[in-house]
Amino acid sequence: MPGARSRRRIEANYWPGFVDALSSLLLVIIFLLSLFMVTQFFLNTEIQGKDTALSRLNSQIAELTDLLQLERGNADDLNSQIANLQATLATTTAENTDLTGQLAGVGNGLAGKDETIAGLNAELSQAQDMSDEANAQVALLNQQLAALRTQIGALEQALDASESRDTESRTQIADLGKRLNLALAQRVQDLSRYRSDFFGRLRQILEGRADVRIVGDRFVFQSEVLFDPGQANVQPAGTPDLDALADAILQLETEIPPDINWVLRIDGHTDKRPISNAQFPSNWELSASRAISVAKYLVSKGVSPNRLIAAGFGEFTPLDPGDTEEAYRRNRRIEFKLTEG
């Protein structure tokens, strides 16, 4: 029994040390959290201080602009006052000269005119005092005007610096716009050159064919060359022409740089007579199916699908608005146009 009691005492003595260790760990964690919060507080304070400084700078620029306008108005007022004082000074000087002349005339007259001479001398002294006061005011106004001009010069320098930065930014933007326009114009010019080469090659391949002609910037195939009436499947008789076209496109793909985006647009057209084939509800579906059939055939010959666009226009863009068989035949066509992607 005594041995069991001593073992319980020994086992119970581990807990205070364990509790102290946990308390120390908790204090370290609390210290680290406090340190993190203090650091976060100072970072936020620093960021807010920079935002406040930026706002203060913008406010100072606005105040400087207002102050410049106010100082310019004050300068105009001071110039007006100086002009008035100079006019008064000129008037006073003229009166002084006149009084001096009168005094000289009186001095040459009778000796009994002493009182008149004394009065004229008093008036002359008064005019001299007014002239001295006007000169002092002009000098003071000149000093104030010089100080205002100095302040205006400093404000104008600040505004010129700001406008210079704005002008430099606008110049850079305009220069980038010019470069972009030149690059786009160069791409259009390059595509036009390759389009001319492509048309020249097709002219040589299809020379002498009455059912293939050029209309503007397009090659036009009559539908009878490629399709049976009312059908959208390419007939065998038309495959040689499409083979030649595919060879020209494949050659073109190797010549045009990859940074020039181009496509060959395939447009299907019909005449305006209603279709009697139940497979196609309207001429629109027939024209679109024919354009798609031609595109699929060119893809089967190795042409990249991303260089082809198939579109159906039905009877809505005729070449000949007439109602004759010849007009109907001309309007039933497949058009090929090399254009930008």
Side-chain angles (χ1 to χ4, degrees):
M1 295 298 292
R5 291 178 181 174
S6 60
R7 281 195 300 269
R8 290 193 190 97
R9 290 194 191 99
I10 295 173
E11 292 175 357
N13 289 334
Y14 291 125
W15 287 105
F18 182 70
V19 171
D20 292 340
L22 290 177
S23 300
S24 300
L25 179 61
L26 182 59
L27 289 174
V28 170
I29 293 173
I30 293 174
F31 174 73
L32 291 175
L33 290 175
S34 301
L35 183 61
F36 174 76
M37 292 177 64
V38 170
T39 304
Q40 187 70 24
F41 172 76
F42 281 112
L43 287 176
N44 291 334
T45 303
E46 183 68 19
I47 293 172
Q48 291 177 358
K50 291 182 178 180
D51 293 339
T52 303
L54 181 60
S55 301
R56 189 182 303 112
L57 287 175
N58 292 331
S59 301
Q60 289 178 356
I61 290 175
E63 291 176 357
L64 287 174
T65 303
D66 295 338
L67 183 59
L68 176 61
Q69 298 296 330
L70 181 60
E71 294 298 338
R72 286 177 175 173
N74 292 334
D76 293 337
D77 294 338
L78 289 175
N79 287 328
S80 299
Q81 293 180 8
I82 290 173
N84 294 332
L85 289 174
Q86 288 176 347
T88 304
L89 179 60
T91 303
T92 304
T93 302
E95 292 178 353
N96 188 8
T97 302
D98 184 45
L99 290 174
T100 302
Q102 292 179 9
L103 180 61
V106 171
N108 294 326
L110 298 174
K113 302 297 182 179
D114 292 338
E115 295 180 357
T116 303
I117 293 173
L120 292 175
N121 285 328
E123 292 180 358
L124 179 60
S125 177
Q126 184 179 2
Q128 187 66 39
D129 293 339
M130 292 177 61
S131 176
D132 294 338
E133 184 179 357
N135 288 328
Q137 290 182 357
V138 169
L140 179 61
L141 289 175
N142 285 328
Q143 292 177 358
Q144 294 178 353
L145 182 59
L148 286 176
R149 287 174 177 171
T150 302
Q151 294 178 0
I152 290 173
L155 293 175
E156 286 179 345
Q157 289 179 357
L159 289 177
D160 289 340
S162 177
E163 291 176 355
S164 177
R165 289 192 296 270
D166 293 340
T167 302
E168 183 178 359
S169 299
R170 292 173 183 172
T171 303
Q172 292 178 356
I173 293 173
D175 184 56
L176 290 175
K178 290 180 180 179
R179 292 181 182 178
L180 179 59
N181 291 332
L182 290 175
L184 292 176
Q186 183 64 36
R187 290 293 178 266
V188 172
Q189 184 177 2
D190 292 342
L191 183 59
S192 299
R193 178 170 59 85
Y194 289 114
R195 184 189 295 119
S196 299
D197 296 341
F198 177 67
F199 277 178
R201 190 176 299 119
L202 286 181
R203 284 192 186 96
Q204 294 177 359
I205 295 173
L206 303 173
E207 186 176 7
R209 293 290 303 270
D211 48 6
V212 179
R213 64 187 187 279
I214 299 176
V215 178
D217 58 350
R218 309 178 183 201
F219 266 93
V220 179
F221 284 65
Q222 294 305 134
S223 295
E224 288 76 6
V225 177
L226 304 175
F227 304 100
D228 291 328
Q231 300 298 319
N233 297 321
V234 178
Q235 62 180 348
T239 56
D241 295 331
L242 292 182
D243 292 340
L245 178 63
D247 292 338
I249 297 173
L250 292 175
Q251 182 65 28
L252 187 68
E253 285 183 328
T254 62
E255 295 175 357
I256 297 182
D259 58 342
I260 297 179
N261 192 15
W262 64 273
V263 293
L264 181 68
R265 207 176 80 183
I266 307 168
D267 298 338
H269 300 269
T270 65
D271 57 39
K272 63 182 179 181
R273 293 179 297 183
I275 189 172
S276 59
N277 190 340
Q279 182 181 359
F280 303 104
S282 69
N283 286 323
W284 218 336
E285 282 82 356
L286 175 61
S287 63
S289 297
R290 286 180 170 177
I292 293 172
S293 295
V294 173
K296 288 182 176 179
Y297 185 84
L298 294 177
V299 171
S300 69
K301 294 300 179 181
V303 179
S304 300
N306 59 346
R307 295 298 185 186
L308 300 175
I309 295 178
F313 291 86
E315 69 271 21
F316 301 108
T317 55
L319 292 177
D320 191 336
D323 294 328
T324 63
E325 286 297 331
E326 178 61 24
Y328 294 154
R329 189 190 69 81
R330 293 186 67 232
N331 291 332
R332 295 190 301 269
R333 67 196 188 278
I334 298 292
E335 295 182 353
F336 298 92
K337 178 181 179 181
L338 187 68
T339 184
E340 296 181 64

PDB file of all heavy atoms in Angstrom, residues 231-250:
ATOM      1  N   GLN A 231     -29.894  19.890-107.748  1.00  0.00           N
ATOM      2  CA  GLN A 231     -29.097  19.017-106.907  1.00  0.00           C
ATOM      3  C   GLN A 231     -27.948  19.816-106.266  1.00  0.00           C
ATOM      4  O   GLN A 231     -27.580  20.879-106.732  1.00  0.00           O
ATOM      5  CB  GLN A 231     -28.527  17.848-107.722  1.00  0.00           C
ATOM      6  CG  GLN A 231     -29.587  16.970-108.357  1.00  0.00           C
ATOM      7  CD  GLN A 231     -30.473  16.297-107.316  1.00  0.00           C
ATOM      8  OE1 GLN A 231     -29.979  15.847-106.284  1.00  0.00           O
ATOM      9  NE2 GLN A 231     -31.777  16.235-107.588  1.00  0.00           N
ATOM     10  N   ALA A 232     -27.388  19.250-105.171  1.00  0.00           N
ATOM     11  CA  ALA A 232     -26.304  19.923-104.452  1.00  0.00           C
ATOM     12  C   ALA A 232     -25.050  19.068-104.373  1.00  0.00           C
ATOM     13  O   ALA A 232     -24.087  19.449-103.684  1.00  0.00           O
ATOM     14  CB  ALA A 232     -26.752  20.297-103.042  1.00  0.00           C
ATOM     15  N   ASN A 233     -25.032  17.926-105.045  1.00  0.00           N
ATOM     16  CA  ASN A 233     -23.837  17.085-105.072  1.00  0.00           C
ATOM     17  C   ASN A 233     -22.978  17.456-106.275  1.00  0.00           C
ATOM     18  O   ASN A 233     -23.482  17.597-107.386  1.00  0.00           O
ATOM     19  CB  ASN A 233     -24.224  15.607-105.140  1.00  0.00           C
ATOM     20  CG  ASN A 233     -24.987  15.163-103.901  1.00  0.00           C
ATOM     21  OD1 ASN A 233     -24.675  15.584-102.785  1.00  0.00           O
ATOM     22  ND2 ASN A 233     -26.002  14.325-104.095  1.00  0.00           N
ATOM     23  N   VAL A 234     -21.662  17.597-106.051  1.00  0.00           N
ATOM     24  CA  VAL A 234     -20.757  17.963-107.140  1.00  0.00           C
ATOM     25  C   VAL A 234     -20.706  16.814-108.153  1.00  0.00           C
ATOM     26  O   VAL A 234     -20.425  15.664-107.796  1.00  0.00           O
ATOM     27  CB  VAL A 234     -19.354  18.258-106.591  1.00  0.00           C
ATOM     28  CG1 VAL A 234     -18.394  18.594-107.727  1.00  0.00           C
ATOM     29  CG2 VAL A 234     -19.390  19.415-105.586  1.00  0.00           C
ATOM     30  N   GLN A 235     -20.993  17.139-109.416  1.00  0.00           N
ATOM     31  CA  GLN A 235     -20.972  16.110-110.448  1.00  0.00           C
ATOM     32  C   GLN A 235     -19.541  15.869-110.923  1.00  0.00           C
ATOM     33  O   GLN A 235     -18.686  16.764-110.850  1.00  0.00           O
ATOM     34  CB  GLN A 235     -21.870  16.509-111.611  1.00  0.00           C
ATOM     35  CG  GLN A 235     -21.447  17.795-112.314  1.00  0.00           C
ATOM     36  CD  GLN A 235     -22.362  18.138-113.464  1.00  0.00           C
ATOM     37  OE1 GLN A 235     -23.177  17.313-113.876  1.00  0.00           O
ATOM     38  NE2 GLN A 235     -22.218  19.342-114.000  1.00  0.00           N
ATOM     39  N   PRO A 236     -19.243  14.675-111.410  1.00  0.00           N
ATOM     40  CA  PRO A 236     -17.855  14.354-111.815  1.00  0.00           C
ATOM     41  C   PRO A 236     -17.306  15.293-112.875  1.00  0.00           C
ATOM     42  O   PRO A 236     -16.103  15.549-112.903  1.00  0.00           O
ATOM     43  CB  PRO A 236     -17.982  12.916-112.338  1.00  0.00           C
ATOM     44  CG  PRO A 236     -19.177  12.356-111.641  1.00  0.00           C
ATOM     45  CD  PRO A 236     -20.134  13.490-111.492  1.00  0.00           C
ATOM     46  N   ALA A 237     -18.176  15.829-113.752  1.00  0.00           N
ATOM     47  CA  ALA A 237     -17.672  16.697-114.811  1.00  0.00           C
ATOM     48  C   ALA A 237     -17.067  17.990-114.264  1.00  0.00           C
ATOM     49  O   ALA A 237     -16.254  18.635-114.919  1.00  0.00           O
ATOM     50  CB  ALA A 237     -18.803  17.023-115.795  1.00  0.00           C
ATOM     51  N   GLY A 238     -17.464  18.374-113.072  1.00  0.00           N
ATOM     52  CA  GLY A 238     -16.951  19.630-112.509  1.00  0.00           C
ATOM     53  C   GLY A 238     -15.755  19.461-111.614  1.00  0.00           C
ATOM     54  O   GLY A 238     -15.168  20.462-111.165  1.00  0.00           O
ATOM     55  N   THR A 239     -15.358  18.232-111.309  1.00  0.00           N
ATOM     56  CA  THR A 239     -14.236  18.044-110.385  1.00  0.00           C
ATOM     57  C   THR A 239     -12.893  18.517-110.927  1.00  0.00           C
ATOM     58  O   THR A 239     -12.057  18.998-110.142  1.00  0.00           O
ATOM     59  CB  THR A 239     -14.154  16.561-109.979  1.00  0.00           C
ATOM     60  OG1 THR A 239     -14.054  15.759-111.171  1.00  0.00           O
ATOM     61  CG2 THR A 239     -15.392  16.143-109.197  1.00  0.00           C
ATOM     62  N   PRO A 240     -12.616  18.419-112.247  1.00  0.00           N
ATOM     63  CA  PRO A 240     -11.311  18.940-112.698  1.00  0.00           C
ATOM     64  C   PRO A 240     -11.123  20.425-112.396  1.00  0.00           C
ATOM     65  O   PRO A 240     -10.026  20.867-112.020  1.00  0.00           O
ATOM     66  CB  PRO A 240     -11.327  18.651-114.203  1.00  0.00           C
ATOM     67  CG  PRO A 240     -12.244  17.498-114.357  1.00  0.00           C
ATOM     68  CD  PRO A 240     -13.314  17.694-113.341  1.00  0.00           C
ATOM     69  N   ASP A 241     -12.188  21.221-112.594  1.00  0.00           N
ATOM     70  CA  ASP A 241     -12.065  22.647-112.285  1.00  0.00           C
ATOM     71  C   ASP A 241     -11.832  22.875-110.792  1.00  0.00           C
ATOM     72  O   ASP A 241     -11.024  23.734-110.394  1.00  0.00           O
ATOM     73  CB  ASP A 241     -13.332  23.381-112.735  1.00  0.00           C
ATOM     74  CG  ASP A 241     -13.500  23.347-114.245  1.00  0.00           C
ATOM     75  OD1 ASP A 241     -12.467  23.288-114.945  1.00  0.00           O
ATOM     76  OD2 ASP A 241     -14.651  23.376-114.716  1.00  0.00           O
ATOM     77  N   LEU A 242     -12.532  22.100-109.954  1.00  0.00           N
ATOM     78  CA  LEU A 242     -12.320  22.253-108.509  1.00  0.00           C
ATOM     79  C   LEU A 242     -10.942  21.746-108.107  1.00  0.00           C
ATOM     80  O   LEU A 242     -10.331  22.285-107.171  1.00  0.00           O
ATOM     81  CB  LEU A 242     -13.417  21.501-107.743  1.00  0.00           C
ATOM     82  CG  LEU A 242     -14.825  22.071-107.862  1.00  0.00           C
ATOM     83  CD1 LEU A 242     -15.801  21.262-107.024  1.00  0.00           C
ATOM     84  CD2 LEU A 242     -14.869  23.539-107.419  1.00  0.00           C
ATOM     85  N   ASP A 243     -10.428  20.707-108.793  1.00  0.00           N
ATOM     86  CA  ASP A 243      -9.078  20.248-108.504  1.00  0.00           C
ATOM     87  C   ASP A 243      -8.052  21.340-108.798  1.00  0.00           C
ATOM     88  O   ASP A 243      -7.098  21.556-108.034  1.00  0.00           O
ATOM     89  CB  ASP A 243      -8.762  18.997-109.319  1.00  0.00           C
ATOM     90  CG  ASP A 243      -9.593  17.795-108.865  1.00  0.00           C
ATOM     91  OD1 ASP A 243     -10.091  17.825-107.727  1.00  0.00           O
ATOM     92  OD2 ASP A 243      -9.741  16.841-109.659  1.00  0.00           O
ATOM     93  N   ALA A 244      -8.235  22.018-109.929  1.00  0.00           N
ATOM     94  CA  ALA A 244      -7.324  23.116-110.264  1.00  0.00           C
ATOM     95  C   ALA A 244      -7.421  24.236-109.235  1.00  0.00           C
ATOM     96  O   ALA A 244      -6.410  24.830-108.836  1.00  0.00           O
ATOM     97  CB  ALA A 244      -7.650  23.642-111.662  1.00  0.00           C
ATOM     98  N   LEU A 245      -8.656  24.515-108.784  1.00  0.00           N
ATOM     99  CA  LEU A 245      -8.840  25.535-107.764  1.00  0.00           C
ATOM    100  C   LEU A 245      -8.175  25.123-106.459  1.00  0.00           C
ATOM    101  O   LEU A 245      -7.525  25.933-105.791  1.00  0.00           O
ATOM    102  CB  LEU A 245     -10.334  25.784-107.551  1.00  0.00           C
ATOM    103  CG  LEU A 245     -10.708  26.808-106.474  1.00  0.00           C
ATOM    104  CD1 LEU A 245     -10.178  28.183-106.832  1.00  0.00           C
ATOM    105  CD2 LEU A 245     -12.219  26.863-106.286  1.00  0.00           C
ATOM    106  N   ALA A 246      -8.302  23.849-106.077  1.00  0.00           N
ATOM    107  CA  ALA A 246      -7.675  23.368-104.843  1.00  0.00           C
ATOM    108  C   ALA A 246      -6.157  23.480-104.924  1.00  0.00           C
ATOM    109  O   ALA A 246      -5.491  23.878-103.952  1.00  0.00           O
ATOM    110  CB  ALA A 246      -8.099  21.928-104.574  1.00  0.00           C
ATOM    111  N   ASP A 247      -5.582  23.133-106.088  1.00  0.00           N
ATOM    112  CA  ASP A 247      -4.129  23.266-106.240  1.00  0.00           C
ATOM    113  C   ASP A 247      -3.679  24.716-106.081  1.00  0.00           C
ATOM    114  O   ASP A 247      -2.645  25.003-105.451  1.00  0.00           O
ATOM    115  CB  ASP A 247      -3.706  22.736-107.617  1.00  0.00           C
ATOM    116  CG  ASP A 247      -3.898  21.225-107.736  1.00  0.00           C
ATOM    117  OD1 ASP A 247      -3.950  20.563-106.678  1.00  0.00           O
ATOM    118  OD2 ASP A 247      -4.020  20.738-108.871  1.00  0.00           O
ATOM    119  N   ALA A 248      -4.459  25.640-106.652  1.00  0.00           N
ATOM    120  CA  ALA A 248      -4.094  27.058-106.527  1.00  0.00           C
ATOM    121  C   ALA A 248      -4.175  27.519-105.068  1.00  0.00           C
ATOM    122  O   ALA A 248      -3.332  28.286-104.595  1.00  0.00           O
ATOM    123  CB  ALA A 248      -5.016  27.905-107.402  1.00  0.00           C
ATOM    124  N   ILE A 249      -5.192  27.031-104.337  1.00  0.00           N
ATOM    125  CA  ILE A 249      -5.328  27.432-102.923  1.00  0.00           C
ATOM    126  C   ILE A 249      -4.193  26.851-102.099  1.00  0.00           C
ATOM    127  O   ILE A 249      -3.621  27.519-101.225  1.00  0.00           O
ATOM    128  CB  ILE A 249      -6.695  26.975-102.382  1.00  0.00           C
ATOM    129  CG1 ILE A 249      -7.828  27.665-103.139  1.00  0.00           C
ATOM    130  CG2 ILE A 249      -6.811  27.288-100.898  1.00  0.00           C
ATOM    131  CD1 ILE A 249      -9.208  27.157-102.782  1.00  0.00           C
ATOM    132  N   LEU A 250      -3.848  25.588-102.350  1.00  0.00           N
ATOM    133  CA  LEU A 250      -2.744  24.978-101.601  1.00  0.00           C
ATOM    134  C   LEU A 250      -1.428  25.709-101.858  1.00  0.00           C
ATOM    135  O   LEU A 250      -0.620  25.898-100.935  1.00  0.00           O
ATOM    136  CB  LEU A 250      -2.618  23.501-101.994  1.00  0.00           C
ATOM    137  CG  LEU A 250      -3.776  22.595-101.553  1.00  0.00           C
ATOM    138  CD1 LEU A 250      -3.599  21.195-102.114  1.00  0.00           C
ATOM    139  CD2 LEU A 250      -3.854  22.538-100.033  1.00  0.00           C
TER     140      LEU A 250
END
